């Protein structure tokens, strides 16, 4: 018999199987499927429906589809959204996919129509009747256990006498796996198909039977638990009648007495008493009673009427701050001003202080000293990585494992209603789908609102007005503006080398001697050795790395005292390489000669100041400006502004009129692995360019910092303290600074001011006059190449240089 093949659009079904002579409705979302439907509607409305082997495949290939499907006629298409349609089809005949020859813009393939198999027995044969009766019986059992088979389906099954149609109809309307439905679809012999369906129905009935047994067991267990709960409640009532159930009443009475003793306002007191009455109405062992007991325990543990007696004395606070911290005079002065305001007006709520500074400068330890000076309990809350608003406000008490927020928890832990709460690392708060904790802190840190702070767990107002809040941060850039507006910023600058020396001698070294069991007679470290450690073995704003190096020396000393006859150890600068290994930060080497095209700029980093060399090379070319050294956009713009400034002053500076057309200028910042950005290298770039173009040498021992404009003005910059420390450390004797930064010189350490000569400048002409040697009569030699200074080796993981 000749096989009939057709070329039809193909629609891959996911979790669905279509059978001949059956109507089926489904939604279509994939674009290739919608395109296949549209193509079929343009032809004869025929489409080949075939099931996918894996539902998760979005763009199926031939190997992802079953071989046998159903050629169907599209009877209706309804667009239900811009990206999906609902289609109604009627199955016509089985077909086999021979080849899928097109995948875009829709699936299309050659299909071979399959004829219905012939009957081996006449319709009135006893074997056929027996098979039909078996099907009716199995389906009756299935419908009874499943409970979701409609009457229309049941009547259609009982009226059907055709084995093939009956098998297809049942497979379409009962719950079977896609693979099982596919087996029925692929069988063309009617009696064999119905026999296969009976096997699947029998298996499904067994599964439903086991499901019912399991459900009855669970229902029985629940009934038993309810029965036990009722019996326990009856026993409790009988014990109360007999006078034997006083323990529970005693517990509730204890709760009531403790609540009344707190002296809360009427609303809060009634709220807690209502919770006690709720426990009394709960049956014995109730889960709700356990939740209420936990809630009352947390509320009663709060120090509602307990406050420590505050010691508001500026003199005592100054003594403690000076004892615990060296330097930081402006920071300590601002804190003492806050204490003085409280001394004059004890009811003054004051402001929330935010200590901002690089790591290791003593932000947390200052807050601890303030708590000690004020005689307040200290509660420390680390906010680094907090992303859930419930960490601040708490969870509803009905949730499993609920608890108060960190604010209430810290107050409860401190045992006082007027503690000092240290909110550490407030700049590292996060936020996600669970809420924004920074927004929750807006109420906590607002003195006008926090007098009635409501934690989600407590549900009663808590007065946070008596709490003194101090927050710490490394930067203000990541703190939301509304939150930052509620705090007064106190910046903690980097320590100078002299301050680090005194901190090491007064605090770090005695602490490490004690931790390592050493006496002052066992170990002595010279001032020169400590200076060398600061200069060559650490690179930081604070003193944490310095403390680690001192700890290493103490360990080496312990080893020598234990192993050998050594009784005392004196550490000098010469002994450091043996005790601390190689120098991770050797002394920076900068040229002390007058050179052309090399200028010492000054940079600020998170670990202090640094010398930033600017090198300029001028070559024959076409007027290109090359900028290298891992520069940011702002620094690149500074270089362009410097070049434009020089071009506008060509005649005044004696430059070749066409230099910007026939000369290539290459500006390079050494140590290209370290990102650099910022505008304050502007005058250094302009000076280096002019030196390279004119051949005028740059005077030795000069460093400079300042932003440049197109008109040649020098604008102020930041980080002057750290930059001048770097200039002194690297042997500079003169520093050019913007005139508007003269007011910042008072913040610079006296030793730095004494060692450096500061030259305020307001225009680039002043910079050139101070930094460059006078111009010689002979013109600059063409192709002047700037000499390159030795590059100092710095820490490879150093922070990005911000000018």
């Amino acid at each position: 018999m000749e096989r009939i093949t057709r070329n039809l659009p193909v629609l891959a079904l996911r979790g669905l199987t279509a059978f001949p002579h059956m109507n089926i409705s489904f939604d279509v979302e994939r674009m290739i499927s919608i395109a296949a439907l549209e193509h079929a509607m343009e032809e004869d409305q025929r489409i080949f429906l075939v099931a996918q082997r894996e539902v998760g495949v979005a763009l199926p290939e031939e190997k992802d589809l079953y071989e046998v499907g159903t050629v169907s006629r599209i009877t209706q298409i309804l667009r239900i959204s811009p990206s999906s349609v609902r289609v109604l089809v009627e199955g016509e005949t089985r077909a086999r996919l021979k080849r899928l020859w097109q995948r875009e813009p829709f699936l299309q393939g050659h299909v071979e129509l399959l004829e219905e198999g012939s009957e081996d027995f006449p319709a009135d044969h006893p074997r056929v009747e027996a098979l039909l009766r078996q099907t009716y019986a199995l389906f009756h059992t299935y419908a009874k256990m499943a409970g979701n088979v409609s009457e229309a389906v049941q009547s259609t099954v009982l009226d059907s006498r055709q084995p093939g149609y009956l098998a297809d109809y049942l497979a379409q309307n009962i719950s079977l796996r896609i693979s099982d439905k596919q087996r029925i679809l692929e069988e063309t012999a009617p009696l064999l198909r119905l026999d296969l369906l009976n096997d699947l129905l029998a298996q499904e009935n067994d599964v439903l039977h086991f499901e019912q047994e399991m459900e009855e067991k669970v229902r029985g267990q629940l009934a038993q638990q309810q029965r036990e709960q009722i019996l326990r409640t009856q026993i409790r009532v009988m014990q109360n009648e007999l006078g034997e159930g006083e323990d529970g009443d005693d517990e509730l009475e204890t709760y009531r007495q403790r609540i009344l003793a707190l002296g809360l306002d009427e609303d809060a007191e009634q709220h807690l008493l209502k919770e006690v009455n709720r426990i009394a109405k709960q049956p014995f062992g109730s889960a709700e009673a356990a939740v209420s007991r936990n809630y009352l325990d947390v509320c009663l543990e709060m120090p509602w009427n307990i406050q420590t007696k505050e010691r508001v004395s500026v003199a005592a606070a100054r003594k403690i701050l000076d004892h615990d911290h060296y330097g930081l005079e402006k920071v300590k002065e601002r804190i003492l001003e806050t204490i003085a305001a409280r001394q004059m007006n004890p009811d003054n709520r004051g402001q929330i202080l935010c200590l901002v500074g690089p790591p290791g400068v003593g932000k947390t330890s200052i807050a601890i000293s303030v708590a000690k000076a004020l005689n307040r309990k200290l509660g420390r809350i680390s906010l680094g990585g907090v992303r859930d608003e419930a960490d601040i406000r708490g969870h509803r008490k009905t949730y499993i494992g609920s608890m108060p927020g960190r604010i209430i928890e810290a107050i409860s832990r401190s045992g006082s209603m007027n503690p000092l709460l240290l909110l550490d690392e407030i700049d590292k708060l996060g936020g996600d789908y669970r809420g924004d904790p920074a927004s929750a802190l807006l109420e906590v840190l607002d003195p006008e609102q926090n007098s009635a702070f409501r934690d989600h767990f407590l549900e009663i107002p808590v007065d946070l007005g008596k709490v003194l809040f101090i927050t710490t941060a490394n930067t203000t850039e990541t703190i939301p503006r509304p939150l930052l507006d509620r705090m007064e910023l106190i910046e903690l600058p980097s320590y100078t080398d002299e301050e680090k020396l005194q901190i090491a001698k007064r605090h770090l070294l005695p602490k490490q001697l004690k931790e390592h069991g050493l006496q002052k007679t066992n170990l002595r470290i010279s001032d020169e050795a400590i200076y060398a450690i600061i200069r060559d073995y650490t690179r930081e704003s604070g003193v944490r790395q310095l403390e680690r190096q001192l700890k290493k020396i103490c360990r080496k000393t312990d080893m020598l005292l234990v192993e050998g006859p050594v009784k005392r150890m004196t550490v000098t600068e010469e002994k450091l390489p043996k005790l601390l290994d190689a120098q991770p930060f050797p002394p920076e080497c900068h040229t002390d000669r007058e050179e052309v095209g090399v200028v010492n700029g000054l940079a600020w980093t998170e670990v202090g100041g640094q010398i930033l060399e600017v090198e300029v090379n001028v070559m024959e070319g076409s007027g290109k400006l090359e900028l290298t050294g891992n520069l940011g956009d702002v620094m690149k713009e500074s270089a362009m502004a410097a070049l434009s400034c020089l071009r506008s002053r060509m005649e005044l500076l004696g430059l070749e009129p066409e230099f910007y057309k026939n000369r290539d200028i290459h500006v390079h910042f050494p140590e290209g692995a370290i990102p650099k950005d910022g505008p304050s290298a502007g005058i250094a770039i302009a000076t280096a360019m002019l030196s390279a173009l004119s051949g005028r040498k740059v005077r030795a021992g000069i460093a400079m910092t300042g932003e440049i404009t197109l008109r040649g003005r020098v604008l102020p910059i930041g980080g002057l303290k750290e930059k001048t420390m770097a200039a002194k450390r690297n042997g500079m004797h003169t520093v050019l600074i913007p005139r508007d930064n003269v007011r910042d010189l008072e913040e610079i350490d006296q030793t730095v001011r004494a060692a450096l000569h500061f030259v305020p400048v307001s225009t680039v002409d002043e910079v050139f006059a101070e930094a460059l040697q006078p111009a010689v009569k002979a013109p600059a030699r063409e192709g002047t190449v700037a000499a390159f200074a030795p590059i100092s080796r710095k820490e490879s993981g150093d922070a990005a240089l911000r000018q």
Side-chain angles (χ1 to χ4, degrees):
M1 182 176 181
E2 184 180 355
R3 299 286 185 177
I4 301 175
T5 60
R6 296 190 61 180
N7 183 28
L8 293 174
V10 179
L11 195 154
L13 300 175
R14 293 189 286 189
L16 196 65
T17 304
F19 286 87
H21 312 296
M22 304 294 161
N23 292 324
I24 182 173
S25 174
F26 53 89
D27 294 341
V28 179
E29 295 182 351
R30 289 186 289 188
M31 295 307 299
I32 59 171
S33 300
I34 295 176
L37 291 171
E38 292 174 348
H39 181 75
M41 293 299 293
E42 292 174 358
E43 300 296 332
D44 61 351
Q45 301 182 1
R46 299 304 190 274
I47 191 169
F48 181 62
L49 304 180
V50 61
Q52 287 186 199
R53 298 181 186 273
E54 297 293 338
V55 177
V57 178
L59 297 174
E61 300 179 4
E62 186 172 349
K63 62 183 178 60
D64 299 318
L65 306 176
Y66 286 104
E67 291 185 3
V68 178
T70 303
V71 175
S72 304
R73 184 176 64 88
I74 302 172
T75 58
Q76 184 180 12
I77 293 181
L78 175 65
R79 183 167 292 277
I80 57 177
S81 73
S83 60
S84 63
V85 298
R86 181 164 295 166
V87 60
L88 177 65
V89 300
E90 179 185 357
E92 291 185 343
T93 182
R94 286 173 170 78
R96 186 184 308 276
L97 179 63
K98 302 299 289 183
R99 186 170 70 91
L100 189 69
W101 60 271
Q102 176 179 302
R103 294 187 63 205
E104 290 183 355
F106 56 88
L107 302 181
Q108 192 163 356
H110 292 300
V111 298
E112 177 187 334
L113 304 185
L114 300 178
E115 295 289 339
E116 186 80 358
S118 59
E119 300 285 358
D120 295 334
F121 302 96
D124 57 352
H125 194 277
R127 181 178 180 83
V128 176
E129 183 64 26
L131 193 58
L132 290 172
R133 290 184 182 182
Q134 182 187 25
T135 303
Y136 297 151
L138 290 171
F139 176 72
H140 176 74
T141 304
Y142 172 85
K144 184 177 180 181
M145 289 191 292
N148 58 354
V149 181
S150 66
E151 293 183 359
V153 172
Q154 295 184 41
S155 61
T156 302
V157 170
L158 295 176
D159 291 341
S160 177
R161 301 292 299 174
Q162 300 178 11
Y165 176 83
L166 181 60
D168 291 344
Y169 184 80
L170 284 174
Q172 184 76 60
N173 289 281
I174 66 175
S175 177
L176 292 176
R177 294 189 184 93
I178 294 298
S179 58
D180 293 334
K181 291 187 176 184
Q182 188 67 29
R183 289 171 57 193
I184 295 174
L185 181 64
E186 293 176 358
E187 181 57 60
T188 58
L191 292 181
L192 294 178
R193 188 157 71 239
L194 187 60
D195 190 38
L196 176 59
L197 177 72
N198 288 346
D199 293 340
L200 296 174
L201 263 179
Q203 294 177 11
E204 191 66 22
N205 288 343
D206 290 340
V207 172
L208 291 174
H209 177 71
F210 285 122
E211 286 182 353
Q212 285 186 349
E213 286 186 352
M214 293 168 61
E215 186 177 350
E216 289 175 359
K217 287 182 180 179
V218 172
R219 192 180 294 114
Q221 290 175 356
L222 292 176
Q224 179 66 20
Q225 291 175 0
Q226 292 175 352
R227 180 172 175 273
E228 291 176 356
Q229 185 174 353
I230 294 172
L231 290 175
R232 288 194 183 97
T233 305
Q234 291 175 347
I235 291 172
R236 183 181 175 187
V237 173
M238 294 171 64
Q239 286 177 339
N240 290 336
E241 292 292 333
L242 297 173
E244 299 175 356
E246 297 179 356
D247 291 342
D249 293 340
D250 290 345
E251 178 193 20
L252 299 180
E253 187 61 30
T254 302
Y255 275 133
R256 292 190 180 95
Q257 292 176 3
R258 292 177 64 187
I259 292 170
L260 295 174
L262 293 177
L264 301 175
D265 62 83
E266 184 177 355
D267 291 340
E269 188 176 275
Q270 291 299 319
H271 179 81
L272 295 180
L273 290 175
K274 188 182 297 183
E275 201 69 30
V276 176
N277 295 333
R278 185 177 289 114
I279 295 176
K281 297 176 182 178
Q282 296 297 325
F284 180 80
S286 167
E288 289 189 27
V291 170
S292 297
R293 284 187 177 87
N294 177 59
Y295 169 72
L296 289 174
D297 290 339
V298 172
C299 291
L300 294 175
E301 287 174 2
M302 284 285 293
W304 293 104
N305 293 314
I306 301 175
Q307 295 185 24
T308 56
K309 186 177 180 180
E310 189 176 25
R311 179 177 58 220
V312 185
S313 170
V314 173
R318 187 188 301 274
K319 183 178 179 181
I320 291 175
L321 289 173
D322 288 340
H323 177 269
D324 293 346
H325 298 85
Y326 179 83
L328 303 175
E329 298 302 329
K330 285 198 170 185
V331 176
K332 291 190 284 190
E333 194 65 27
R334 177 62 189 87
I335 292 174
L336 291 174
E337 290 172 3
T338 302
I339 296 175
R342 296 188 67 84
Q343 187 172 347
M344 296 298 294
N345 180 14
D347 296 330
N348 181 22
R349 291 178 177 266
Q351 291 183 318
I352 286 84
L353 303 180
C354 180
L355 306 178
V356 182
V361 295
K363 300 183 293 295
T364 303
S365 59
I366 284 179
I368 295 173
S369 298
V370 172
K372 188 194 305 182
L374 295 176
N375 191 34
R376 288 189 179 222
K377 299 292 183 66
L378 177 68
R380 182 174 178 272
I381 304 173
S382 179
L383 298 178
V386 171
R387 294 180 173 275
D388 191 352
E389 179 193 2
D391 283 336
I392 306 300
R393 291 187 178 275
H395 302 80
R396 302 288 181 186
K397 69 175 185 290
T398 52
Y399 295 156
I400 296 175
S402 59
M403 61 183 69
R406 297 195 181 194
I407 303 296
I408 298 301
E409 184 183 359
I411 294 175
S412 179
R413 192 171 57 248
S414 68
S416 169
M417 290 300 290
N418 64 336
L420 186 151
L421 290 190
L422 173 62
L423 306 182
D424 218 358
E425 310 291 355
I426 197 171
D427 57 323
K428 297 173 180 62
L429 280 172
D432 55 19
Y433 64 93
R434 293 170 291 186
D436 183 8
S439 300
L441 281 174
L442 294 177
E443 178 186 2
V444 174
L445 299 181
D446 191 341
E448 303 299 327
Q449 301 181 39
N450 61 11
S451 59
F453 173 72
R454 284 183 179 269
D455 186 272
H456 288 162
F457 184 87
L458 292 187
E459 298 178 344
I460 53 179
V462 179
D463 185 7
L464 300 181
K466 299 172 184 177
V467 178
L468 178 59
F469 290 98
I470 294 182
T471 67
T472 69
N474 295 129
T475 177
T476 59
E477 294 177 0
T478 56
I479 302 176
R481 295 300 304 176
L483 183 60
L484 190 63
D485 187 57
R486 284 164 166 76
M487 303 182 291
E488 181 171 352
L489 300 182
I490 301 179
E491 294 189 4
L492 279 72
S494 304
Y495 288 122
T496 64
D497 291 352
E498 179 63 29
E499 288 173 337
K500 290 181 181 179
L501 172 66
Q502 296 300 327
I503 292 171
K505 294 172 63 176
R506 300 184 185 193
H507 300 285
L508 303 183
L509 187 55
K511 175 185 174 183
Q512 293 305 319
L513 290 175
K514 182 178 179 181
E515 288 185 0
H516 290 81
L518 296 171
Q519 302 295 327
K520 291 183 178 180
T521 56
N522 298 131
L523 176 62
R524 180 182 176 276
I525 305 178
S526 66
D527 290 356
E528 292 76 13
I530 297 178
Y531 269 128
I533 294 173
I534 294 170
R535 183 181 65 248
D536 301 335
Y537 291 88
T538 65
R539 181 69 49 83
E540 59 178 341
S541 300
V543 291
R544 284 179 182 160
Q545 292 184 26
L546 176 58
E547 185 175 14
R548 292 190 188 101
Q549 299 299 333
L550 294 176
K551 187 181 296 185
K552 186 182 294 186
I553 292 176
C554 290
R555 290 199 303 267
K556 298 280 188 182
T557 304
D558 281 341
M559 181 68 72
L560 292 174
L561 293 176
V562 170
E563 288 187 340
V566 179
K567 299 297 183 183
R568 185 171 64 180
M569 178 78 168
T570 300
V571 179
T572 61
E573 184 175 355
E574 292 75 18
K575 294 182 180 179
L576 290 179
K578 184 181 293 185
L579 295 172
L580 299 178
D581 303 325
Q583 298 176 355
F585 310 105
E588 296 182 1
C589 182
H590 296 282
T591 180
D592 56 357
R593 297 180 290 108
E594 295 182 348
E595 297 191 62
V596 174
V598 180
V599 175
N600 293 318
L602 294 172
W604 178 93
T605 74
E606 292 182 355
V607 294
Q610 248 179 259
I611 290 289
L612 181 66
E613 287 185 341
V614 183
E615 301 175 351
V616 175
N617 192 6
V618 177
M619 302 154 289
E620 293 286 347
S622 57
K624 291 190 299 182
L625 175 63
E626 291 287 344
L627 302 172
T628 58
N630 202 349
L631 309 183
D633 291 338
V634 177
M635 185 171 276
K636 291 178 181 178
E637 292 171 358
S638 294
M640 297 175 185
L643 180 58
S644 297
C645 179
L646 293 181
R647 287 182 58 185
S648 66
R649 296 164 176 260
M650 287 188 301
E651 295 182 6
L652 181 64
L653 298 174
L655 297 177
E656 180 185 343
E658 302 293 327
F659 80 87
Y660 60 91
K661 294 182 179 179
N662 52 29
R663 294 287 188 272
D664 286 347
I665 301 176
H666 187 166
V667 181
H668 178 67
F669 292 80
E671 298 179 274
I674 301 174
K676 309 169 188 71
D677 203 2
S680 67
I683 63 173
I685 298 172
T687 304
M689 283 183 177
L690 178 59
S691 173
L693 288 166
S694 65
R696 296 168 62 183
K697 293 185 177 181
V698 181
R699 290 190 173 97
I702 289 184
M704 61 186 70
T705 179
E707 182 179 353
I708 191 174
T709 70
L710 292 175
R711 301 299 179 89
R713 291 186 297 121
V714 180
L715 302 184
I717 45 82
L720 186 63
K721 178 180 178 181
E722 290 80 4
K723 292 178 180 180
T724 55
M725 288 167 55
K728 176 182 177 297
R729 186 170 60 244
N730 289 275
M732 302 292 122
H733 57 72
T734 302
V735 178
L736 307 185
I737 64 173
R739 193 173 298 278
D740 290 340
N741 282 110
V742 172
R743 62 180 181 272
D744 299 327
L745 291 177
E746 295 189 5
E747 299 181 4
I748 297 175
D749 187 73
Q750 292 183 358
T751 58
V752 177
R753 276 193 286 175
L756 297 175
H757 172 55
F758 293 96
V759 180
V761 293
S762 55
T763 66
V764 291
D765 297 326
E766 299 175 20
V767 175
F768 298 153
E770 189 70 31
L772 298 176
Q773 293 285 9
V776 294
K777 293 182 180 180
R781 179 165 49 89
E782 289 187 0
T784 300
V785 178
F788 286 82
I791 298 175
S792 61
R793 182 166 63 88
K794 296 183 178 65
E795 182 180 8
S796 61
D798 202 355
L801 298 178
R802 287 173 48 200
Q803 296 300 312

